[in-house]
């Protein structure tokens, strides 16, 4: 006779594995991951895609359990993430986490120079008040409150402009460099956004806010991209003049097409309105008729 212990062990081995909460498929246990903080179970493929999507979009917090109804709202540990994603994705995750740590640390701040972005230390004793900060890398002197150039005796403007570094004397290359950081915060929701390549017109995937990568000015209402015709961002869109003209022609054509379609369809809509109203009235009267006895 088999012992009770061996029978129970056999039942566990032959038991149906739990279904993944994302794809609802039954996957062998060796291809499943259990989140330690909440014990929710997902297949490795779904969990990997979920993690990579959040990291790609520039997560602002930790990676939580994909189950929105998770009672414990567990978060994935760093070793759990590292076991599922590629090395380059993990490097980006750690960089985003470091960006978030600096952002939340009252004693640290980023150098506002777009070509520097070094981490600067603040004086803890002077935190309640704006203080002079000098970047240890590019020697830029700026205000800790508004990140503008240091303004002795002046009130902070409250904005966070992206400033260019002061030219360094006796430098080999005297031209101002356009090499800026590849990660910035959305000016509306604050989520981190990475720009690998492409034009300077950015669209935040989190809040759908359109803005200029260089000056962070809103482009929500600038369908024709007039912003890049003058000012500090002139000709910095990243496309040729012909491409910009073609884009504007398309936008104008789309609006003109909708207007023409509405103009042509208006007489037909006016003619059809009485028939629609009569049909609705007739249906209403039929519904009010008593049931036959």
């Amino acid at each position: 006779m088999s012992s009770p212990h061996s029978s129970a062990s056999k039942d566990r081995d032959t038991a149906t594995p739990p279904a993944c909460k994302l794809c609802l498929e039954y996957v062998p246990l060796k291809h499943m991951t259990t989140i330690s903080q909440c014990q929710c179970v997902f297949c490795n493929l779904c969990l990997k895609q979920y993690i990579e999507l959040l990291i790609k979009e520039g997560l602002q917090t930790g990676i939580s359990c994909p189950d929105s109804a998770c009672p414990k709202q567990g978060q994935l540990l760093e070793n759990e993430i590292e076991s599922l994603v590629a090395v380059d994705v993990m490097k980006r995750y750690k960089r985003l986490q470091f960006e978030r740590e600096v952002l939340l640390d009252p004693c640290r701040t980023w150098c506002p120079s777009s070509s520097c972005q070094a981490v600067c230390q603040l004086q803890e004793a002077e935190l309640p008040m704006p203080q002079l900060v000098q970047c240890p890398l590019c020697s830029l002197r700026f205000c800790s409150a508004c990140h503008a150039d240091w303004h002795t005796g002046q009130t902070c403007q409250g904005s966070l402009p992206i400033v260019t570094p002061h030219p360094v004397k006796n430098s080999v290359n005297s031209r101002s460099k356009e090499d800026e950081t590849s990660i910035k915060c959305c000016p509306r929701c604050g989520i981190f956004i990475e720009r690998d390549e492409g034009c300077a017109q950015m669209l935040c995937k989190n809040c759908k806010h359109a803005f200029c990568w260089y000056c962070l000015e809103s482009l929500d209402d600038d369908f024709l991209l007039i912003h890049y015709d003058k000012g500090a961002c002139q000709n910095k869109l990243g496309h040729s003049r012909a491409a910009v003209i073609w884009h504007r022609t398309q936008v104008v054509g789309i609006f003109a097409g909708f207007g023409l379609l509405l103009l042509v369809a208006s007489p037909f809509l006016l003619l059809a309105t009485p028939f629609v109203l009569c049909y609705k009235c007739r249906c209403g009267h039929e519904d009010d008729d008593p049931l036959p006895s």
Side-chain angles (χ1 to χ4, degrees), residues 117-175:
Q117 291 290 297
V119 178
C120 304
Q121 195 72 26
L122 303 182
Q123 297 295 329
E124 187 175 359
E126 303 177 13
L127 284 181
M129 299 296 294
Q131 58 179 281
L132 168 64
V133 183
Q134 184 167 2
C135 176
L137 192 61
C138 69
S139 301
L140 177 68
R141 294 159 58 89
F142 62 94
C143 174
S144 63
C146 66
H147 284 199
D149 289 342
W150 178 245
H151 42 78
T152 305
Q154 297 181 4
T155 306
C156 293
Q157 299 299 320
S159 59
L160 299 176
I162 302 298
V163 298
T164 56
H166 296 300
V168 180
K169 295 181 180 180
N170 302 324
S171 62
V172 177
N173 187 0
S174 60
R175 296 180 302 173

Side-chain angles (χ1 to χ4, degrees), residues 185-203:
C185 292
C186 171
R188 174 170 294 177
C189 68
I191 195 171
F192 293 112
I193 297 177
E194 182 176 18
R195 177 176 178 251
D196 295 328
E197 57 184 7
C199 67
Q201 181 192 22
M202 306 300 297
L203 179 65

Side-chain angles (χ1 to χ4, degrees), residues 231-245:
C233 300
Q234 184 177 4
N235 299 327
K236 294 174 67 175
L237 177 61
H239 293 292
S240 64
R241 188 65 181 173
V244 175
I245 294 176

Side-chain angles (χ1 to χ4, degrees), residues 67-134:
D67 185 6
S68 58
C70 176
K72 296 184 179 180
Q73 293 296 311
Q75 290 198 348
L76 279 84
L77 303 179
E78 188 171 303
N79 63 328
E80 294 174 333
I81 299 171
E82 192 169 11
S83 65
L84 292 169
V85 300
V87 176
D88 57 334
V89 178
M90 192 63 193
K91 287 182 179 179
R92 173 170 165 77
Y93 169 77
K94 290 182 178 180
R95 186 170 72 250
L96 289 172
Q97 288 296 94
F98 176 71
E99 298 263 359
R100 179 171 173 265
E101 288 175 7
V102 176
L103 188 65
L104 298 178
D105 189 351
C107 295
R108 288 187 293 176
T109 186
W110 293 101
C111 173
S113 170
S114 60
S115 60
C116 178
Q117 291 290 297
V119 178
C120 304
Q121 195 72 26
L122 303 182
Q123 297 295 329
E124 187 175 359
E126 303 177 13
L127 284 181
M129 299 296 294
Q131 58 179 281
L132 168 64
V133 183
Q134 184 167 2

